[in-house]
Amino acid sequence: MSERIDLGPQGFIYPMPMTLVGADLPDRPNFMPVAWINRVQMNPPRLACGLNKHHATNAGIRDHGEFGVSIPSIDMVEATDWCGLVSANRAADKTAPFTVVRGTLAHAPMIAECPIALECRVVELFDLGTHELFIADIVATWTQPQYLDEDGKPDVLKMQPFVLTMPDNRYWSVGDYLGPAWSIGRDFQPPVALEE
Amino acid sequence: MSERIDLGPQGFIYPMPMTLVGADLPDRPNFMPVAWINRVQMNPPRLACGLNKHHATNAGIRDHGEFGVSIPSIDMVEATDWCGLVSANRAADKTAPFTVVRGTLAHAPMIAECPIALECRVVELFDLGTHELFIADIVATWTQPQYLDEDGKPDVLKMQPFVLTMPDNRYWSVGDYLGPAWSIGRDFQPPVALEE
């Protein structure tokens, strides 16, 4: 086995999901690309999202306690990336590439072109230092019938989400199906340690 | 555009990264498959991880304030899944498929066979209800030279991590390279709204 090396504290999780977080700003809705987001609890269903305090999105979420999480497909990669290159703080209208839709919450803007989108209500806000961690209940999961599999569940092959790797800063599609979770390991036999 | 439907609050982020969280239990180290994990802050580098309180792993992390996050490759999918099917609370030895390694922290067990692994020190623990959210500083990022690209950064094509989708419960590889982040959207031109 070759040498183990320490790259330092700036390690990442591989890979990270790409989303567009929607918030209502004073003048208009806004969408920000966010990869630092994930589920954190099963019941009630909750997610967590870490966002730098400087973003206009943070103020919008703080103002209303609500936000949307839209998951773009690979044909939206340029539009998604563009949203991370321009700033709502400098008057960019990040709704321009998209059709804004809403569900049951007043201030959780979502993107109609995205195959799936979550409506979220903030339950906790933790100050981490440079970033705020928003903990939110998921209150609805919006999709369309063409993105569902035969069991009525969202189908990653139909939604075609994409992922981000850092610090190389690259986008990737989802690849091959490897097997069923909580199942493919059933027949796995770990090596038996020999008694000395 | 077809009908929008609400699948209810059990929505997920697509896709989620698969990791093995390592913690020291009273009798031995333990590894638990965890997909609800991600970075949440750039500086100091921090991640967040939501774990059901019933897990033996939670007690181990609480006891020592340290844990490891090892990212398995696709050739470890069966071993990873097996770790989620057996329970340390029922005496399963989840170190059996792996070689345990440590870095600079006393209680952050990692897996030598994983292409990359993070050493983490807990800085906050938030009680979400059924789950605990561990916020941790990343103190080291262990890898091996064969997993780095020509710029010295971890290369997803060499590491071959995999992802999870829920509630369909399926594992997937990472697919095709789509383009550079904070770059591919530079030439994107959003449609110009016509003044009425």
Side-chain angles (χ1 to χ4, degrees):
Chain A
M1 190 168 289
S2 74
E3 174 197 17
R4 292 175 73 237
I5 52 177
D6 176 12
L7 303 178
Q10 278 295 353
F12 291 86
I13 298 295
Y14 290 90
M16 301 181 286
M18 278 306 300
T19 72
L20 285 157
V21 167
D24 276 333
L25 307 189
D27 52 343
R28 62 166 76 91
N30 188 66
F31 297 106
M32 174 185 165
V34 171
W36 293 0
I37 186 169
N38 211 334
R39 281 288 294 262
V40 292
Q41 180 166 270
M42 187 63 85
N43 280 304
R46 277 188 187 158
L47 56 74
C49 173
L51 300 176
N52 190 296
K53 294 176 185 175
H54 292 153
H55 290 303
T57 293
N58 292 49
I61 298 175
R62 283 194 304 264
D63 285 348
H64 301 293
E66 296 174 358
F67 62 95
V69 179
S70 297
I71 296 177
S73 54
I74 58 175
D75 62 343
M76 300 171 71
V77 65
E78 289 88 356
T80 302
D81 195 61
W82 175 84
C83 287
L85 292 168
V86 297
S87 172
N89 282 331
R90 293 190 294 274
D93 178 5
K94 301 204 216 176
T95 66
F98 311 118
T99 308
V100 181
V101 288
R102 295 178 190 272
T104 56
L105 300 179
H107 297 289
M110 296 172 286
I111 296 173
E113 291 81 3
C114 286
I116 197 161
L118 311 178
E119 281 189 281
C120 302
R121 184 187 293 120
V122 176
V123 292
E124 298 272 8
L125 194 172
F126 299 123
D127 187 339
L128 300 183
T130 60
H131 283 53
E132 289 168 316
L133 188 69
F134 294 95
I135 311 292
D137 280 348
I138 301 163
V139 301
T141 304
W142 292 98
T143 187
Q144 292 172 288
Q146 68 265 31
Y147 298 115
L148 302 181
D149 65 18
E150 57 194 13
D151 297 323
K153 296 173 182 171
D155 187 334
V156 73
L157 294 174
K158 296 174 178 172
M159 297 190 293
Q160 299 198 70
F162 58 99
V163 295
L164 173 69
T165 51
M166 292 177 71
D168 55 323
N169 298 345
R170 294 191 282 180
Y171 296 121
W172 308 85
S173 68
V174 175
D176 296 326
Y177 173 53
L178 300 178
W182 291 280
S183 174
I184 196 177
R186 270 186 220 288
D187 296 329
F188 178 77
Q189 294 284 348
V192 177
L194 297 177
E195 298 290 332
E196 298 199 7
Chain B
M1 189 168 294
S2 73
E3 174 198 14
R4 292 175 73 238
I5 52 176
D6 175 13
L7 302 179
Q10 279 295 354
F12 292 86
I13 298 295
Y14 289 89
M16 301 181 285
M18 277 307 299
T19 72
L20 286 157
V21 167
D24 276 333
L25 307 190
D27 52 344
R28 62 166 74 93
N30 188 66
F31 296 107
M32 175 185 164
V34 171
W36 292 2
I37 185 168
N38 212 333
R39 281 288 294 261
V40 292
Q41 181 167 267
M42 187 63 86
N43 279 302
R46 278 187 186 158
L47 56 75
C49 174
L51 300 176
N52 190 296
K53 293 176 186 175
H54 292 154
H55 291 303
T57 293
N58 292 48
I61 298 175
R62 282 194 306 263
D63 284 349
H64 302 292
E66 298 174 356
F67 61 95
V69 179
S70 297
I71 296 176
S73 54
I74 58 174
D75 61 344
M76 300 172 70
V77 66
E78 289 88 356
T80 302
D81 195 61
W82 175 83
C83 287
L85 292 169
V86 296
S87 172
N89 282 331
R90 292 190 293 275
D93 177 5
K94 302 204 214 175
T95 66
F98 311 119
T99 308
V100 181
V101 288
R102 294 177 190 272
T104 56
L105 300 180
H107 297 289
M110 296 172 286
I111 295 173
E113 291 81 4
C114 286
I116 197 161
L118 311 178
E119 280 189 282
C120 301
R121 184 187 293 118
V122 176
V123 291
E124 299 271 7
L125 193 172
F126 299 123
D127 187 340
L128 299 182
T130 59
H131 283 52
E132 289 169 316
L133 188 69
F134 295 95
I135 312 292
D137 280 349
I138 300 163
V139 301
T141 305
W142 292 99
T143 187
Q144 292 172 290
Q146 68 265 32
Y147 299 117
L148 303 180
D149 65 18
E150 56 194 12
D151 297 323
K153 296 172 182 171
D155 187 333
V156 73
L157 293 175
K158 296 174 178 171
M159 297 189 294
Q160 299 197 72
F162 57 99
V163 295
L164 173 69
T165 51
M166 292 177 70
D168 55 323
N169 298 347
R170 294 191 281 180
Y171 297 121
W172 308 85
S173 69
V174 175
D176 296 326
Y177 174 54
L178 300 177
W182 291 280
S183 174
I184 196 177
R186 270 186 220 288
D187 296 329
F188 178 77
Q189 294 286 345
V192 177
L194 298 177
E195 299 290 332
E196 298 200 5

